[in-house]
Amino acid sequence: TVSVLNCPQDTHREPHRRSQDAMEPTAVDVALDLTPVLKASGADAKGGKAKAKKGAAASQAPAGYKGTSTITYVRNEAPMLECAAPGDLDGFRVEADCLTFHADPKRVKIEGIKVVSGKKAVKVVAVEKVDGKDLVHVMLDGRVCEGGYGSSCEVQVSFTGLLPEKGEPLEGIYKMSSTAIIASFFEVTNARKAFPCIDAPSLRCTYSISLQVPTPWAAFAVANGPELSRKTTDGDATIIKFAPTVAPVPAYVVGFAAGQAPMECEKVTASQGDGNEEVAIAVYAPAGSQYPLPLAAKTLGEAVTLLAQFFDLPLPHGKIDCVVLPDMAIAGMEHDGLITLNEATGKKGAGTKNVEETVVQLCVHEVAHHWLGNMVGLPFSVKEGLCQVLEQCFGDMIQGKGLRTFKATGGGGDQGESATAVDVASGAELTGLTYQHAYNKLTAFVAASGWLKFREALRTLVSEYQGQYADQQAVDAVL
Protein backbone atom coordinates (compact mmCIF):
# COMPACT_ATOMS: atom_id res chain seq x y z
CA THR A 1 0.00 0.00 0.00
CA VAL A 2 2.78 2.40 0.90
CA SER A 3 4.74 1.80 -2.31
CA VAL A 4 1.66 2.41 -4.46
CA LEU A 5 1.32 5.82 -2.80
CA ASN A 6 4.96 6.64 -3.62
CA CYS A 7 5.74 7.02 0.06
CA PRO A 8 8.79 4.81 0.69
CA GLN A 9 9.53 3.76 4.24
CA ASP A 10 12.88 5.50 4.30
CA THR A 11 14.99 5.68 7.43
CA HIS A 12 14.31 9.41 7.81
CA ARG A 13 10.61 8.82 8.41
CA GLU A 14 9.53 8.54 12.01
CA PRO A 15 7.61 5.29 12.57
CA HIS A 16 4.00 5.90 13.61
CA ARG A 17 3.05 4.29 16.91
CA ARG A 18 0.37 1.88 15.77
CA SER A 19 -0.68 -1.74 15.89
CA GLN A 20 -2.35 -3.90 13.27
CA ASP A 21 -5.61 -2.26 14.44
CA ALA A 22 -4.52 1.21 13.26
CA MET A 23 -7.18 3.67 12.14
CA GLU A 24 -6.89 6.56 9.74
CA PRO A 25 -9.08 9.71 9.79
CA THR A 26 -10.47 10.23 6.29
CA ALA A 27 -13.36 12.72 6.41
CA VAL A 28 -14.66 15.60 8.54
CA ASP A 29 -18.24 16.83 8.14
CA VAL A 30 -18.74 20.18 9.91
CA ALA A 31 -22.15 21.73 10.61
CA LEU A 32 -21.86 25.26 12.01
CA ASP A 33 -24.73 27.20 13.56
CA LEU A 34 -23.56 30.81 13.45
CA THR A 35 -26.93 32.37 14.23
CA PRO A 36 -26.16 33.14 17.92
CA VAL A 37 -23.03 35.14 17.17
CA LEU A 38 -24.50 36.91 14.13
CA LYS A 39 -27.73 37.89 15.85
CA ALA A 40 -25.67 39.21 18.75
CA SER A 41 -23.73 41.45 16.34
CA GLY A 42 -26.79 43.60 15.70
CA ALA A 43 -25.97 43.98 12.01
CA ASP A 44 -28.25 46.14 9.92
CA ALA A 45 -30.01 43.99 7.33
CA LYS A 46 -30.31 46.85 4.84
CA GLY A 47 -26.98 48.59 4.99
CA GLY A 48 -24.87 45.58 5.88
CA LYS A 49 -22.93 47.59 8.46
CA ALA A 50 -22.20 46.06 11.82
CA LYS A 51 -23.71 48.05 14.69
CA ALA A 52 -22.96 47.59 18.36
CA LYS A 53 -25.97 47.18 20.62
CA LYS A 54 -26.73 50.19 22.76
CA GLY A 55 -25.82 49.75 26.40
CA ALA A 56 -23.59 46.73 25.80
CA ALA A 57 -20.92 46.61 28.46
CA ALA A 58 -17.31 46.58 27.36
CA SER A 59 -16.75 43.54 29.57
CA GLN A 60 -19.61 41.59 28.01
CA ALA A 61 -18.66 37.97 27.32
CA PRO A 62 -18.01 37.32 23.62
CA ALA A 63 -20.90 35.75 21.74
CA GLY A 64 -20.44 32.16 20.67
CA TYR A 65 -21.67 29.74 18.06
CA LYS A 66 -22.33 26.02 18.11
CA GLY A 67 -21.87 23.07 15.84
CA THR A 68 -21.16 19.42 15.22
CA SER A 69 -18.06 17.80 13.74
CA THR A 70 -18.44 14.25 12.47
CA ILE A 71 -15.03 12.66 11.94
CA THR A 72 -14.82 9.39 10.02
CA TYR A 73 -12.02 6.91 10.75
CA VAL A 74 -11.24 3.89 8.56
CA ARG A 75 -9.34 0.79 9.57
CA ASN A 76 -6.41 0.27 7.22
CA GLU A 77 -2.64 0.30 7.05
CA ALA A 78 -2.56 4.05 7.65
CA PRO A 79 -0.52 5.20 4.61
CA MET A 80 -1.32 8.86 5.32
CA LEU A 81 0.06 8.59 8.82
CA GLU A 82 3.16 6.81 7.54
CA CYS A 83 3.80 9.71 5.16
CA ALA A 84 3.08 12.49 7.67
CA ALA A 85 5.63 14.98 8.91
CA PRO A 86 7.07 13.60 12.17
CA GLY A 87 6.06 16.58 14.30
CA ASP A 88 2.44 16.31 13.15
CA LEU A 89 2.10 12.91 14.84
CA ASP A 90 3.49 13.90 18.21
CA GLY A 91 0.96 12.56 20.71
CA PHE A 92 -1.40 11.42 17.95
CA ARG A 93 -3.11 8.06 18.59
CA VAL A 94 -5.61 6.40 16.27
CA GLU A 95 -6.32 2.81 17.28
CA ALA A 96 -9.26 0.45 17.66
CA ASP A 97 -9.94 1.61 21.22
CA CYS A 98 -8.59 5.18 21.11
CA LEU A 99 -9.39 7.86 18.53
CA THR A 100 -7.75 11.30 18.36
CA PHE A 101 -8.68 14.74 17.00
CA HIS A 102 -7.63 18.38 17.52
CA ALA A 103 -9.54 21.11 19.35
CA ASP A 104 -8.23 24.30 20.94
CA PRO A 105 -9.75 24.42 24.45
CA LYS A 106 -9.41 28.23 24.57
CA ARG A 107 -11.85 28.67 21.69
CA VAL A 108 -13.70 25.36 21.31
CA LYS A 109 -15.60 23.72 24.17
CA ILE A 110 -16.60 20.10 23.68
CA GLU A 111 -20.20 19.55 24.79
CA GLY A 112 -20.61 15.88 23.92
CA ILE A 113 -19.03 12.94 22.07
CA LYS A 114 -20.79 9.99 20.45
CA VAL A 115 -19.02 7.13 18.68
CA VAL A 116 -20.81 4.92 16.15
CA SER A 117 -19.28 1.81 14.56
CA GLY A 118 -21.24 -0.50 12.30
CA LYS A 119 -24.45 1.41 13.12
CA LYS A 120 -23.92 0.61 16.81
CA ALA A 121 -23.01 3.08 19.53
CA VAL A 122 -19.70 2.48 21.30
CA LYS A 123 -19.40 3.64 24.89
CA VAL A 124 -16.91 6.44 25.57
CA VAL A 125 -15.18 5.69 28.88
CA ALA A 126 -12.83 8.68 29.02
CA VAL A 127 -11.88 11.85 27.17
CA GLU A 128 -8.24 12.75 27.64
CA LYS A 129 -6.99 16.22 26.71
CA VAL A 130 -3.26 16.48 26.04
CA ASP A 131 -1.86 19.66 27.57
CA GLY A 132 -0.18 22.03 25.15
CA LYS A 133 -1.02 20.03 22.02
CA ASP A 134 -4.75 20.71 21.53
CA LEU A 135 -5.21 16.95 21.20
CA VAL A 136 -8.23 15.03 22.44
CA HIS A 137 -8.03 11.25 22.95
CA VAL A 138 -11.40 9.47 23.00
CA MET A 139 -10.98 6.25 25.02
CA LEU A 140 -13.53 3.55 24.18
CA ASP A 141 -15.09 0.65 26.05
CA GLY A 142 -14.65 -1.86 23.27
CA ARG A 143 -13.27 -1.77 19.77
CA VAL A 144 -14.43 -0.10 16.59
CA CYS A 145 -14.31 -1.21 12.97
CA GLU A 146 -14.42 -4.92 13.67
CA GLY A 147 -15.35 -5.53 10.03
CA GLY A 148 -11.68 -5.62 9.03
CA TYR A 149 -9.77 -3.38 6.62
CA GLY A 150 -12.03 -0.82 5.00
CA SER A 151 -14.57 -0.75 7.82
CA SER A 152 -15.27 2.65 9.35
CA CYS A 153 -16.60 4.43 12.41
CA GLU A 154 -17.71 7.96 13.22
CA VAL A 155 -16.92 10.26 16.12
CA GLN A 156 -19.68 12.86 16.45
CA VAL A 157 -18.52 15.86 18.49
CA SER A 158 -20.96 18.57 19.55
CA PHE A 159 -19.27 21.81 20.60
CA THR A 160 -19.56 25.53 21.17
CA GLY A 161 -17.04 28.02 19.84
CA LEU A 162 -15.92 31.60 20.27
CA LEU A 163 -14.78 34.23 17.79
CA PRO A 164 -11.53 36.05 18.55
CA GLU A 165 -11.98 38.97 20.92
CA LYS A 166 -11.06 42.50 19.97
CA GLY A 167 -7.30 42.83 19.57
CA GLU A 168 -6.73 39.11 19.09
CA PRO A 169 -5.36 37.73 15.79
CA LEU A 170 -7.90 37.09 13.03
CA GLU A 171 -7.67 33.31 13.31
CA GLY A 172 -10.34 30.64 13.22
CA ILE A 173 -13.77 32.12 12.42
CA TYR A 174 -14.01 35.92 12.60
CA LYS A 175 -16.21 38.85 11.55
CA MET A 176 -15.21 41.89 9.54
CA SER A 177 -14.96 45.07 11.58
CA SER A 178 -16.61 47.37 9.04
CA THR A 179 -19.06 45.27 7.06
CA ALA A 180 -21.44 42.38 7.63
CA ILE A 181 -19.27 39.47 6.48
CA ILE A 182 -18.05 36.48 8.48
CA ALA A 183 -15.15 34.37 7.22
CA SER A 184 -12.47 31.89 8.24
CA PHE A 185 -8.67 31.76 8.32
CA PHE A 186 -7.09 28.46 9.41
CA GLU A 187 -3.44 28.64 8.32
CA VAL A 188 -1.36 26.99 9.74
CA THR A 189 -3.11 25.12 12.55
CA ASN A 190 -6.07 27.37 13.30
CA ALA A 191 -8.91 25.13 12.14
CA ARG A 192 -8.81 23.65 15.65
CA LYS A 193 -9.79 27.12 16.90
CA ALA A 194 -13.03 26.85 14.94
CA PHE A 195 -14.16 23.22 15.30
CA PRO A 196 -12.87 19.74 16.23
CA CYS A 197 -10.94 18.30 13.28
CA ILE A 198 -7.69 16.72 12.12
CA ASP A 199 -5.49 19.80 12.12
CA ALA A 200 -1.90 19.22 11.01
CA PRO A 201 -0.48 20.39 7.65
CA SER A 202 0.62 16.91 6.51
CA LEU A 203 -2.62 15.14 7.51
CA ARG A 204 -5.41 15.12 4.92
CA CYS A 205 -9.15 14.52 5.04
CA THR A 206 -12.14 15.29 2.86
CA TYR A 207 -14.03 18.23 4.40
CA SER A 208 -17.71 19.12 4.09
CA ILE A 209 -19.15 22.39 5.42
CA SER A 210 -22.71 23.45 6.18
CA LEU A 211 -23.65 26.85 7.61
CA GLN A 212 -26.71 27.96 9.51
CA VAL A 213 -27.00 31.75 9.54
CA PRO A 214 -29.75 34.34 10.01
CA THR A 215 -31.56 34.48 6.67
CA PRO A 216 -30.28 38.01 5.80
CA TRP A 217 -26.72 36.65 6.20
CA ALA A 218 -27.41 33.98 3.57
CA ALA A 219 -27.49 36.62 0.83
CA PHE A 220 -23.85 35.77 0.09
CA ALA A 221 -22.21 32.45 0.99
CA VAL A 222 -19.30 30.49 -0.50
CA ALA A 223 -17.08 27.63 0.63
CA ASN A 224 -14.58 25.15 -0.80
CA GLY A 225 -17.20 23.27 -2.80
CA PRO A 226 -20.20 24.59 -4.73
CA GLU A 227 -23.48 25.13 -2.92
CA LEU A 228 -25.64 22.00 -2.87
CA SER A 229 -28.79 23.19 -1.14
CA ARG A 230 -30.32 25.79 1.16
CA LYS A 231 -33.31 25.56 3.44
CA THR A 232 -35.05 28.19 5.56
CA THR A 233 -36.01 27.17 9.10
CA ASP A 234 -38.99 28.30 11.16
CA GLY A 235 -36.71 30.55 13.21
CA ASP A 236 -35.75 32.86 10.31
CA ALA A 237 -32.46 31.07 9.72
CA THR A 238 -31.09 29.49 6.55
CA ILE A 239 -29.05 26.29 6.36
CA ILE A 240 -26.63 26.16 3.42
CA LYS A 241 -24.88 22.91 2.50
CA PHE A 242 -21.77 22.86 0.34
CA ALA A 243 -20.17 20.03 -1.62
CA PRO A 244 -17.13 18.41 -0.01
CA THR A 245 -13.60 19.24 -1.07
CA VAL A 246 -12.70 17.58 -4.38
CA ALA A 247 -9.98 15.52 -2.66
CA PRO A 248 -8.49 15.07 0.82
CA VAL A 249 -6.82 18.32 1.90
CA PRO A 250 -5.11 19.68 5.03
CA ALA A 251 -7.45 21.52 7.38
CA TYR A 252 -5.72 24.87 6.86
CA VAL A 253 -7.11 25.18 3.30
CA VAL A 254 -10.72 24.61 4.40
CA GLY A 255 -12.69 27.85 4.34
CA PHE A 256 -15.92 29.77 3.91
CA ALA A 257 -17.32 33.29 3.81
CA ALA A 258 -20.91 34.53 4.24
CA GLY A 259 -22.69 37.78 4.83
CA GLN A 260 -25.51 40.19 4.21
CA ALA A 261 -23.30 42.96 2.86
CA PRO A 262 -24.11 43.82 -0.79
CA MET A 263 -21.46 42.28 -3.04
CA GLU A 264 -20.16 43.07 -6.51
CA CYS A 265 -19.03 40.18 -8.71
CA GLU A 266 -16.89 39.59 -11.81
CA LYS A 267 -16.96 36.19 -13.55
CA VAL A 268 -14.78 34.43 -16.12
CA THR A 269 -14.30 30.86 -17.34
CA ALA A 270 -10.81 29.34 -17.50
CA SER A 271 -9.80 26.71 -20.03
CA GLN A 272 -7.49 23.88 -18.97
CA GLY A 273 -6.77 22.51 -22.44
CA ASP A 274 -8.62 20.22 -24.82
CA GLY A 275 -10.68 17.54 -23.12
CA ASN A 276 -10.26 18.98 -19.62
CA GLU A 277 -12.97 20.51 -17.46
CA GLU A 278 -13.23 24.29 -17.52
CA VAL A 279 -13.06 26.21 -14.25
CA ALA A 280 -15.74 28.79 -13.45
CA ILE A 281 -14.20 31.73 -11.59
CA ALA A 282 -16.16 34.35 -9.65
CA VAL A 283 -14.52 37.24 -7.79
CA TYR A 284 -16.58 39.03 -5.10
CA ALA A 285 -15.98 42.26 -3.20
CA PRO A 286 -18.17 44.41 -0.93
CA ALA A 287 -20.14 46.98 -2.90
CA GLY A 288 -18.17 50.19 -3.24
CA SER A 289 -14.79 48.50 -2.89
CA GLN A 290 -12.05 49.98 -5.06
CA TYR A 291 -10.48 46.56 -5.65
CA PRO A 292 -9.83 45.94 -9.39
CA LEU A 293 -12.24 43.01 -9.81
CA PRO A 294 -11.90 42.72 -13.63
CA LEU A 295 -8.11 42.50 -13.32
CA ALA A 296 -8.32 39.89 -10.56
CA ALA A 297 -10.83 37.76 -12.47
CA LYS A 298 -8.85 37.96 -15.71
CA THR A 299 -5.62 37.06 -13.91
CA LEU A 300 -7.12 34.12 -12.04
CA GLY A 301 -8.50 32.71 -15.29
CA GLU A 302 -5.21 33.09 -17.16
CA ALA A 303 -3.27 31.66 -14.21
CA VAL A 304 -5.42 28.51 -14.17
CA THR A 305 -4.86 28.01 -17.91
CA LEU A 306 -1.10 28.64 -17.80
CA LEU A 307 -0.44 26.57 -14.68
CA ALA A 308 -2.53 23.60 -15.86
CA GLN A 309 -0.31 23.55 -18.92
CA PHE A 310 2.86 24.10 -16.86
CA PHE A 311 2.15 21.18 -14.52
CA ASP A 312 0.59 19.09 -17.32
CA LEU A 313 -2.19 18.37 -14.85
CA PRO A 314 -5.59 20.10 -14.78
CA LEU A 315 -7.29 21.10 -11.56
CA PRO A 316 -10.23 18.86 -10.59
CA HIS A 317 -12.19 21.89 -9.38
CA GLY A 318 -15.22 22.94 -11.40
CA LYS A 319 -15.08 26.35 -9.74
CA ILE A 320 -12.80 28.72 -7.88
CA ASP A 321 -14.47 31.50 -5.95
CA CYS A 322 -12.45 34.50 -4.80
CA VAL A 323 -13.56 36.90 -2.07
CA VAL A 324 -11.97 40.29 -1.33
CA LEU A 325 -12.13 40.83 2.43
CA PRO A 326 -11.66 44.14 4.29
CA ASP A 327 -9.94 42.34 7.20
CA MET A 328 -7.32 39.60 6.80
CA ALA A 329 -4.25 38.55 8.74
CA ILE A 330 -2.23 38.14 5.53
CA ALA A 331 -2.32 39.32 1.90
CA GLY A 332 -4.09 36.28 0.47
CA MET A 333 -5.11 32.70 1.25
CA GLU A 334 -5.42 29.67 -0.99
CA HIS A 335 -8.40 27.85 0.53
CA ASP A 336 -9.02 24.96 -1.86
CA GLY A 337 -11.49 26.23 -4.44
CA LEU A 338 -11.94 29.48 -2.45
CA ILE A 339 -9.27 32.17 -2.60
CA THR A 340 -9.48 35.16 -0.27
CA LEU A 341 -7.62 38.42 -0.92
CA ASN A 342 -6.90 41.27 1.46
CA GLU A 343 -8.64 44.39 0.18
CA ALA A 344 -5.58 46.47 1.09
CA THR A 345 -3.54 44.77 -1.68
CA GLY A 346 -5.67 46.53 -4.29
CA LYS A 347 -5.21 50.03 -2.90
CA LYS A 348 -2.60 52.56 -3.90
CA GLY A 349 -0.15 53.47 -1.19
CA ALA A 350 -0.37 50.06 0.49
CA GLY A 351 3.41 49.70 0.46
CA THR A 352 3.42 47.82 -2.85
CA LYS A 353 5.32 48.42 -6.09
CA ASN A 354 2.14 49.12 -8.01
CA VAL A 355 -1.42 47.88 -7.74
CA GLU A 356 -1.55 45.98 -11.02
CA GLU A 357 1.65 44.04 -10.42
CA THR A 358 0.68 43.30 -6.81
CA VAL A 359 -2.79 42.00 -7.72
CA VAL A 360 -1.51 39.93 -10.66
CA GLN A 361 1.29 38.28 -8.69
CA LEU A 362 -0.95 37.64 -5.68
CA CYS A 363 -3.62 35.98 -7.81
CA VAL A 364 -1.06 33.78 -9.57
CA HIS A 365 0.47 32.88 -6.21
CA GLU A 366 -2.82 31.67 -4.71
CA VAL A 367 -3.77 29.69 -7.83
CA ALA A 368 -0.32 28.03 -7.88
CA HIS A 369 -0.91 26.81 -4.33
CA HIS A 370 -3.78 24.68 -5.63
CA TRP A 371 -1.05 22.41 -7.02
CA LEU A 372 1.73 23.16 -4.54
CA GLY A 373 0.35 22.85 -1.01
CA ASN A 374 -3.23 21.80 -1.70
CA MET A 375 -2.79 19.00 -4.23
CA VAL A 376 0.67 18.07 -2.92
CA GLY A 377 1.55 18.79 0.70
CA LEU A 378 4.97 20.41 1.16
CA PRO A 379 7.07 21.99 3.92
CA PHE A 380 5.82 25.56 4.23
CA SER A 381 9.02 27.29 3.21
CA VAL A 382 9.22 25.06 0.13
CA LYS A 383 5.67 25.68 -1.06
CA GLU A 384 5.93 29.42 -0.46
CA GLY A 385 9.31 29.66 -2.20
CA LEU A 386 8.02 27.73 -5.22
CA CYS A 387 4.90 29.87 -5.50
CA GLN A 388 6.95 33.05 -5.26
CA VAL A 389 8.98 31.91 -8.27
CA LEU A 390 5.83 31.03 -10.21
CA GLU A 391 4.02 34.26 -9.30
CA GLN A 392 6.87 36.30 -10.73
CA CYS A 393 7.36 34.24 -13.89
CA PHE A 394 3.70 33.84 -14.81
CA GLY A 395 2.82 37.29 -13.46
CA ASP A 396 5.30 38.75 -15.94
CA MET A 397 3.84 36.67 -18.77
CA ILE A 398 0.27 37.75 -17.98
CA GLN A 399 1.42 41.38 -18.00
CA GLY A 400 3.10 40.84 -21.38
CA LYS A 401 6.68 41.04 -20.12
CA GLY A 402 7.85 37.62 -21.34
CA LEU A 403 9.48 34.87 -19.28
CA ARG A 404 11.60 36.13 -16.40
CA THR A 405 15.18 34.91 -16.08
CA PHE A 406 17.20 34.55 -12.89
CA LYS A 407 20.89 35.12 -12.27
CA ALA A 408 22.93 32.30 -10.77
CA THR A 409 24.04 33.31 -7.27
CA GLY A 410 25.51 30.02 -6.10
CA GLY A 411 23.79 27.33 -4.08
CA GLY A 412 20.56 25.56 -4.84
CA GLY A 413 22.00 23.81 -7.87
CA ASP A 414 25.20 22.34 -6.50
CA GLN A 415 25.47 18.58 -6.49
CA GLY A 416 24.67 17.09 -3.10
CA GLU A 417 23.01 20.27 -1.82
CA SER A 418 19.30 20.67 -1.24
CA ALA A 419 17.66 22.97 -3.77
CA THR A 420 15.03 24.08 -1.28
CA ALA A 421 15.93 23.31 2.33
CA VAL A 422 16.59 26.29 4.57
CA ASP A 423 17.65 26.45 8.20
CA VAL A 424 14.56 27.39 10.15
CA ALA A 425 14.52 28.18 13.84
CA SER A 426 11.68 26.64 15.79
CA GLY A 427 8.71 29.00 15.75
CA ALA A 428 10.07 30.99 12.79
CA GLU A 429 8.82 28.73 10.01
CA LEU A 430 6.21 31.19 8.76
CA THR A 431 8.20 34.36 8.32
CA GLY A 432 9.07 36.49 5.34
CA LEU A 433 12.76 35.88 5.95
CA THR A 434 12.32 32.11 5.84
CA TYR A 435 10.32 32.34 2.62
CA GLN A 436 12.94 34.66 1.14
CA HIS A 437 15.70 32.13 1.89
CA ALA A 438 13.68 29.40 0.15
CA TYR A 439 13.01 31.72 -2.81
CA ASN A 440 16.72 32.54 -3.11
CA LYS A 441 17.67 28.87 -3.23
CA LEU A 442 14.99 28.09 -5.80
CA THR A 443 15.91 30.96 -8.11
CA ALA A 444 19.52 29.79 -7.93
CA PHE A 445 18.34 26.32 -8.91
CA VAL A 446 16.34 27.69 -11.87
CA ALA A 447 19.30 29.80 -13.00
CA ALA A 448 21.71 26.86 -12.79
CA SER A 449 19.40 24.17 -14.21
CA GLY A 450 17.16 26.06 -16.60
CA TRP A 451 13.41 26.66 -16.82
CA LEU A 452 12.62 23.40 -18.62
CA LYS A 453 14.36 21.26 -16.03
CA PHE A 454 12.56 23.19 -13.27
CA ARG A 455 9.22 22.57 -15.02
CA GLU A 456 9.89 18.85 -15.45
CA ALA A 457 10.91 18.54 -11.80
CA LEU A 458 7.66 20.13 -10.63
CA ARG A 459 5.64 17.96 -13.02
CA THR A 460 7.27 14.92 -11.47
CA LEU A 461 6.58 16.20 -7.98
CA VAL A 462 2.84 16.77 -8.48
CA SER A 463 2.44 13.56 -10.46
CA GLU A 464 4.16 11.28 -7.96
CA TYR A 465 2.91 12.90 -4.75
CA GLN A 466 -0.60 13.98 -5.71
CA GLY A 467 -2.85 13.74 -2.65
CA GLN A 468 0.08 13.22 -0.28
CA TYR A 469 2.65 15.06 1.77
CA ALA A 470 6.12 15.27 0.21
CA ASP A 471 8.70 15.94 2.92
CA GLN A 472 12.05 17.68 2.44
CA GLN A 473 13.88 14.54 1.36
CA ALA A 474 11.13 13.70 -1.12
CA VAL A 475 11.41 17.20 -2.59
CA ASP A 476 15.19 16.94 -2.78
CA ALA A 477 14.91 13.62 -4.60
CA VAL A 478 12.93 15.40 -7.33
CA LEU A 479 14.80 18.73 -7.41
Side-chain angles (χ1 to χ4, degrees):
T1 301
V2 169
S3 62
V4 170
L5 289 174
N6 300 302
C7 183
Q9 299 186 46
D10 297 330
T11 55
H12 72 277
R13 294 191 183 277
E14 296 279 341
H16 173 55
R17 178 189 177 277
R18 66 183 180 87
S19 66
Q20 61 181 355
D21 298 319
M23 312 290 294
E24 174 177 313
T26 59
V28 182
D29 187 351
V30 183
L32 295 170
D33 181 0
L34 302 175
T35 52
V37 71
L38 296 179
K39 285 183 177 179
S41 70
D44 175 20
K46 294 182 179 179
K49 298 292 184 180
K51 294 183 179 180
K53 288 187 175 181
K54 291 184 178 181
S59 60
Q60 182 181 15
Y65 58 92
K66 57 186 178 180
T68 302
S69 283
T70 301
I71 306 172
T72 300
Y73 299 81
V74 176
R75 183 181 175 192
N76 59 19
E77 293 182 313
M80 179 186 71
L81 299 181
E82 292 287 357
C83 297
D88 288 350
L89 296 178
D90 189 14
F92 205 85
R93 291 181 60 193
V94 188
E95 299 170 0
D97 58 356
C98 176
L99 302 173
T100 298
F101 58 84
H102 294 92
D104 184 341
K106 296 178 182 178
R107 295 272 294 275
V108 174
K109 180 182 178 182
I110 297 172
E111 302 291 350
I113 297 177
K114 180 181 179 181
V115 179
V116 178
S117 179
K119 298 183 179 180
K120 295 182 180 179
V122 180
K123 184 179 180 181
V124 177
V125 296
V127 176
E128 176 186 284
K129 298 180 182 179
V130 182
D131 291 340
K133 296 186 181 298
D134 299 335
L135 284 172
V136 178
H137 296 318
V138 181
M139 317 300 289
L140 305 175
D141 181 17
R143 297 156 58 85
V144 293
C145 301
E146 290 290 79
Y149 288 131
S151 59
S152 64
C153 69
E154 291 184 348
V155 176
Q156 302 167 4
V157 188
S158 57
F159 64 94
T160 54
L162 297 174
L163 304 190
E165 296 188 53
K166 186 176 181 179
E168 290 184 337
L170 301 178
E171 299 169 344
I173 299 171
Y174 69 98
K175 292 189 300 181
M176 304 301 117
S177 60
S178 60
T179 191
I181 298 175
I182 190 166
S184 63
F185 175 63
F186 298 153
E187 193 177 41
V188 173
T189 55
N190 290 320
R192 66 186 66 180
K193 295 181 179 180
F195 47 78
C197 58
I198 307 301
D199 191 19
S202 65
L203 303 184
R204 293 172 166 261
C205 293
T206 301
Y207 282 84
S208 302
I209 296 287
S210 70
L211 303 176
Q212 180 169 327
V213 296
T215 296
W217 283 74
F220 165 76
V222 290
N224 299 99
E227 182 179 317
L228 294 178
S229 65
R230 60 173 58 204
K231 178 178 66 175
T232 302
T233 69
D234 294 336
D236 194 29
T238 297
I239 300 173
I240 308 167
K241 291 187 177 182
F242 298 93
T245 54
V246 295
V249 295
Y252 76 86
V253 299
V254 176
F256 70 86
Q260 62 176 336
M263 303 292 282
E264 297 176 354
C265 180
E266 189 80 21
K267 297 182 178 181
V268 299
T269 301
S271 169
Q272 297 196 92
D274 293 341
N276 297 319
E277 182 182 10
E278 294 182 332
V279 179
I281 294 173
V283 185
Y284 301 90
S289 171
Q290 299 303 306
Y291 206 86
L293 291 189
L295 174 64
K298 174 179 176 292
T299 301
L300 291 170
E302 292 185 12
V304 167
T305 300
L306 290 170
L307 288 166
Q309 181 183 35
F310 175 80
F311 287 108
D312 195 26
L313 183 65
L315 289 176
H317 308 69
K319 69 90 178 174
I320 295 180
D321 291 317
C322 177
V323 185
V324 177
L325 297 175
D327 300 322
M328 281 188 68
I330 57 177
M333 182 60 207
E334 67 278 10
H335 309 100
D336 202 55
L338 173 63
I339 291 170
T340 51
L341 303 176
N342 193 323
E343 188 176 31
T345 61
K347 295 179 180 179
K348 294 182 179 179
T352 57
K353 289 164 268 188
N354 64 69
V355 169
E356 180 179 352
E357 182 174 304
T358 297
V359 171
V360 168
Q361 290 190 359
L362 180 59
C363 288
V364 173
H365 185 103
E366 305 308 340
V367 171
H369 272 313
H370 278 68
W371 283 269
L372 302 173
N374 298 11
M375 188 181 293
V376 176
L378 294 164
F380 266 77
S381 60
V382 174
K383 78 179 183 72
E384 292 298 334
L386 287 168
C387 288
Q388 285 184 62
V389 173
L390 295 178
E391 77 174 46
Q392 293 184 359
C393 293
F394 287 105
D396 284 355
M397 293 173 64
I398 289 171
Q399 294 182 86
K401 300 178 182 179
L403 182 63
R404 180 177 299 213
T405 59
F406 298 100
K407 295 182 180 179
T409 56
D414 299 333
Q415 186 174 2
E417 180 183 354
S418 168
T420 60
V422 295
D423 293 329
V424 181
S426 177
E429 295 88 351
L430 303 174
T431 64
L433 182 59
T434 296
Y435 295 164
Q436 186 64 42
H437 288 331
Y439 167 80
N440 290 342
K441 297 202 76 171
L442 281 160
T443 54
F445 173 81
V446 176
S449 303
W451 177 256
L452 293 181
K453 184 174 180 180
F454 177 65
R455 183 189 68 181
E456 292 309 310
L458 291 191
R459 286 183 175 183
T460 299
L461 185 67
V462 298
S463 174
E464 292 190 357
Y465 288 90
Q466 184 176 352
Q468 305 165 59
Y469 178 78
D471 66 8
Q472 188 65 60
Q473 286 200 18
V475 174
D476 288 344
V478 175
L479 290 174

